[in-house]
Every structure is written in structure tokens, then in C-alpha cells.
Amino acid sequence: MVERAHPLTPLVRGWLFLLAMGGWFLKDMLPTASRPDQPLPVQAFDPLVVVAGLVALAVLVGLGGLVTWLTTRFVADPSELKVETGWLFRQSNRIAYSRIQSVDVVQPLAARLLGLAEVRIDVGGEGATKLQFLTRSRANELRHYLMQRAHGRQVTVAESNAAAATGVLDDLGAADHVLIRVPPQDLVVGALLSHELLFIVLGFLVPAGLVVAVAAALATLTGEEIPSLGVVAGVGLLFPMAMAVFSFLSKRVIGQFNYTLAQTRAGLRISRGLTSLTSQSVPANRIQSIRLAQPILWRLIGRYRLDIEVLGYGHQTSDEDQSGTSTILLPIGTRAMVDTALHAVWPGLRLDRIQFRQTPERSKVLDPLAYGWLGYGLDDQVVVTRTGWLTRLQSIVPHARLQSVRLTQGPWERRLDLANLEFHTTGLLRTHGVQHIDAAEARRLLYDEADRAKTARTGV
């Protein structure tokens, strides 16, 4: 059966554009309220012209969206998903179910207010195919059917739709099993103890401190007091700082609000967001590595963050307030949550059972702050390396995902008989490796790990 997007799709697509254009008209074409005595410029439009222009623009945007809606259709037949778009130039995209890697459901604010959702179908390195916009229930049904077929299950559309009902806030079905749910207070505490917030505060306090210091020096030299300077510095810098801190905290909490990692019939699913809900499928078979991070202030509360390196993702997520597909597996969590998430991706993995080898004592001169943390460990499944000081990092790479291993040695390291070892994957995170281990041990590990990677991939 051929389907089209929801009739309100043009409205969702065009509302941001219309708001931006309306703001431009109001700002540049009308006299400002702060200067009521200023005469109206000759070239300015009167309010009726502005309103007429906005109405005409809305009609044009609506007609363009209507044409796009009429010429976009899709159908899920027994062997593939067909998506046809275009008016003058028709484009037909056929996606075999066996090529589907993940299917995500995203609800931007405007779509969520109208009960609509966008379906993003990832087929690997070719980019995602987007269906904008369907009703939330239909998007969930299509997502469930496509993931079932992608896993090789021969289900009918009716059977799939019957099991696809999910909740409005967390996109969970009755049969889904919640593994992790991050409470909002943990998000707030994590943001308060983050490096980003510290840099925001210092960005305001340092200039304010310089202003006060200069004022105090001038007062000392001239013998005159400048009582208004403190008020100016407080109002001019501290109030914007408070607004910036509030904006940072609110975006961080809203972006990861009600974070949930769940086990579904179609695999792992992450849902998060308050104003914009993102429901993301996690393709465990394409995860190349996982990075465990612990900033220095998070060590006080025993919290961690997990990032995944997924084959085919275009970039690494750096802002936790963004919507859409993310490389964040766990925004903040306890060690028990970390173990649960790792076990969900790679069953049987236990970091606490891996024996780590620290760098030699002679490496302390090269790593005085990180010494005692640097090292590596491995088992039959993964190799784990430790780096960092301000933020402690652990990179977890399965032997089967290794692409190459590289040994490097600088002049000071040669003098101390030390070496660095790098483990390369096909993902997005920084190079995984261990620094300043014994040179002979590094050479032995280089060849041993290459053999483990080959055995893990071929099974021989």
C-alpha cells in the first residue's frame, strides 16, 4: 500500500523559516520601541505591508510544501522499502531490509506539538533516508516493522503493528525492558561539575576581576574612590554570567531529560529529550569501541560518561543538548550503570575482572600527573587502555574491531627505553592507545594483539 507523509508536514517544515522571516521584517522594517521619536524611514513598510508580505510568504512556502508532500510517497513491500520523491526530477530510493542498520524516530518541538515524528533510516555509509513527517503511532509502527525485517524476522505488517505501541514520553513498549534510566538530578549535578560550566564562569569572572583590579589601582594612585565601578561590573558581567549558566544547565538537562536505555525486540534503544524527543536504535554490531570518561570533579561523586564509536556515523557528539542521532551511550551514570550498558552491548564484558599493567616507574618523569593511571589490560574479548589526567579516559576496543596497531617512540622515550602503542579502528573517537610502556613489552604486545585481532575476526 502506497503511503504519503502527514498533511501537516509542510507546516512543520516551514514554521521555523516563517518565524525567522517574520522576525527580520519586524526588526528591520518597523521603528523600534526604544526610539519612538525617530521618524519612520522612507523605505520602511507600514504594518499592513509587513503583514501582507508575511501572508504571501506563508502562501508560497505552503504551496512549495504541498507540492513536496504530493510528490513524496513510500511503500514497504515484502522485499524492500521504496521511497519516491521529486516533481520535475523524480528520484526512487529502494532500500533492501537486509541493508538497514538502524531506524530512529525523532520528534522536533513543532512536530511533537502536532503529534508527528520523523523516521530516519540508516543503511551505513550512504547516509540516512528521512521520512518527514508521520503520525507518532505510524512512525513507531514503521520503525518496528523495518527493524524486525532488518533482523531477518518474517513478520506481517499487522503482526508488527500490534506490538509497536509505545509511550509518549519515553517511546517504550509494553514488552520493552528498561536497563538504565538517568534521573534529572544527576544531569544537573553532572552539568554543575563539568569543565564547560567552569570555563563559562571563568570567562565572566576573569574580566570582572581585571576591571576591579584596575579600578582599585587607579583609586590607590589618584586617591579618589570610584563607587559606581563595582555596580557596573556586577550588572554588566555577573547578570550575563547567571543567564549563561542557566542557559547551559537548562539545555543540558532538557537535551538528555528522561534518558532511557532499553532492551527491545529489535535491539537496544535510547530515548531522550523533553521538548524534542529522540528515539535512537543502537546498532551493537557496528560499534567499534566504547570510551569511558571521568572528569576530575566527577570523581568526587563516582560518575562516568560513555561514548560509542559507531561505523557510519558522520561525527562525534560533543554537545549533550543536541537532538537527533548521538554517539552518547550514557550521559552520566554510576559504575553499576556503566557495567549494565557495557554488558548490553558486549555480553560477558566485566572491566573489574581485567588485570591492568601500569607504566614503569621510570615513565613518571614524562607523566608526573597521569602516572599511576596510565596502563592497559586485556582479556579474550577486548583490549582496554588508560590515558588522561584532567579527564581520565578508558578506551575499550574488541579484538575483532582492530584495523591496525602502531608503535611509536620519541627521543626521550628511546632514552628511557619506553614506547607508545596505538590501536586503530574505523570509527570517530581519538586514537586508542597506551603511552610510555616498556619498549620490549610494547613490541611483544604489538605482534600479540595483531594475532588476536586476526583470530577474533576469522575464528582460526
Side-chain angles (χ1 to χ4, degrees):
M1 177 181 176
V2 178
E3 298 183 62
R4 282 196 176 96
H6 194 275
L8 293 179
T9 295
L11 177 62
V12 179
R13 286 179 172 177
W15 78 285
L16 284 177
F17 176 75
L18 291 177
L19 286 179
M21 292 300 298
W24 180 78
F25 270 111
L26 294 176
K27 177 181 178 182
D28 294 343
M29 297 302 178
L30 294 178
T32 61
S34 60
R35 301 182 63 182
D37 56 333
Q38 181 181 7
L40 187 67
V42 176
Q43 71 275 15
F45 294 102
D46 59 41
L48 292 178
V49 174
V50 173
V51 172
L54 290 177
V55 171
L57 183 62
V59 171
L60 291 177
V61 172
L63 289 177
L66 179 61
V67 172
T68 302
W69 175 74
L70 289 174
T71 56
T72 301
R73 62 193 67 181
F74 67 94
V75 56
D77 63 21
S79 60
E80 61 185 4
L81 174 70
K82 300 177 183 178
V83 182
E84 296 182 351
T85 57
W87 176 35
L88 294 177
F89 301 95
R90 297 290 293 172
Q91 180 179 355
S92 180
N93 187 12
R94 300 191 173 192
I95 304 173
Y97 297 131
S98 58
R99 295 174 52 216
I100 295 177
Q101 301 293 334
S102 64
V103 182
D104 301 335
V105 174
V106 180
Q107 286 187 281
L109 178 59
R112 195 170 191 186
L113 293 176
L114 296 175
L116 305 181
E118 172 188 327
V119 179
R120 298 181 182 178
I121 306 164
D122 184 10
V123 294
E126 302 178 10
T129 299
K130 300 179 181 180
L131 297 177
Q132 298 176 325
F133 285 88
L134 311 177
T135 62
R136 191 186 68 85
S137 59
R138 180 59 189 135
N140 291 330
E141 290 174 355
L142 183 60
R143 186 259 312 274
H144 190 267
Y145 177 74
L146 293 178
M147 290 302 297
Q148 292 282 335
R149 295 304 305 270
H151 284 76
R153 301 185 180 97
Q154 298 295 327
V155 296
T156 64
V157 174
E159 292 173 346
S160 176
N161 292 348
T166 61
V168 176
L169 294 179
D170 50 16
D171 194 35
L172 293 176
D176 297 341
H177 174 58
V178 176
L179 301 175
I180 298 174
R181 194 186 297 272
V182 177
Q185 57 267 28
D186 278 14
L187 297 173
V188 175
V189 173
L192 288 173
L193 298 179
S194 64
H195 295 157
E196 295 92 333
L197 182 62
L198 179 61
F199 293 149
I200 291 175
V201 173
L202 290 178
F204 286 95
L205 291 184
V206 170
L210 291 176
V211 171
V212 173
V214 171
L218 291 176
T220 302
L221 294 175
T222 61
E224 299 179 359
E225 295 184 357
I226 312 178
S228 61
L229 187 60
V231 176
V232 172
V235 175
L237 294 174
L238 297 183
F239 179 73
M241 181 186 72
M243 296 299 297
V245 169
F246 175 78
S247 176
F248 171 79
L249 293 177
S250 60
K251 287 182 178 179
R252 182 70 65 91
V253 175
I254 290 175
Q256 300 295 327
F257 184 81
N258 199 30
Y259 169 93
T260 304
L261 176 65
Q263 183 71 55
T264 71
R265 295 179 179 177
L268 295 176
R269 181 181 301 161
I270 293 175
S271 60
R272 56 188 174 85
L274 180 60
T275 56
S276 298
L277 178 65
T278 299
S279 181
Q280 177 181 347
S281 302
V282 180
N285 61 325
R286 294 171 61 206
I287 294 179
Q288 306 297 297
S289 69
I290 296 180
R291 185 178 67 185
L292 177 63
Q294 189 179 37
I296 187 170
L297 296 179
W298 284 22
R299 299 177 210 169
L300 302 176
I301 58 175
R303 295 297 187 272
Y304 305 82
R305 165 176 164 152
L306 286 177
D307 292 274
I308 53 178
E309 188 179 35
V310 182
L311 181 64
Y313 278 16
H315 61 279
Q316 177 189 347
T317 302
S318 57
D319 298 326
E320 296 185 17
D321 58 342
Q322 74 177 42
S323 61
T325 301
S326 170
T327 60
I328 300 175
L329 181 62
L330 181 63
I332 184 172
T334 63
R335 189 52 187 260
M337 292 180 178
V338 169
D339 292 338
T340 300
L342 293 178
H343 182 77
V345 176
W346 296 318
L349 177 60
R350 291 288 301 272
L351 286 184
D352 55 349
R353 295 181 180 177
I354 296 179
Q355 297 294 325
F356 283 86
R357 296 179 62 89
Q358 294 185 354
T359 55
E361 187 174 358
R362 61 182 183 276
S363 68
K364 186 182 297 186
V365 65
L366 299 178
D367 296 297
L369 298 178
Y371 176 77
W373 170 252
L374 300 183
Y376 74 94
L378 52 87
D379 62 8
D380 295 337
Q381 188 176 10
V382 298
V383 57
V384 185
T385 59
R386 290 176 171 176
T387 59
W389 167 72
L390 191 61
T391 297
R392 288 182 171 179
L393 302 174
Q394 294 188 66
S395 293
I396 309 168
V397 182
H399 301 305
R401 297 291 185 262
L402 278 179
Q403 299 296 311
S404 64
V405 187
R406 179 187 180 191
L407 187 146
T408 61
Q409 195 177 35
W412 286 105
E413 292 157 337
R414 287 198 298 270
R415 187 179 184 88
L416 296 172
D417 196 26
L418 301 173
N420 306 317
L421 206 60
E422 301 174 358
F423 303 103
H424 302 149
T425 64
T426 59
L428 309 167
L429 298 180
R430 297 184 306 175
T431 301
H432 316 279
V434 57
Q435 298 176 342
H436 305 151
I437 61 175
D438 182 80
E441 183 179 359
R443 284 188 287 269
R444 183 173 61 253
L445 182 60
L446 171 72
Y447 295 108
D448 290 347
E449 191 57 36
D451 292 339
R452 292 189 189 96
K454 179 180 178 180
T455 301
R457 286 194 296 267
T458 61
V460 294

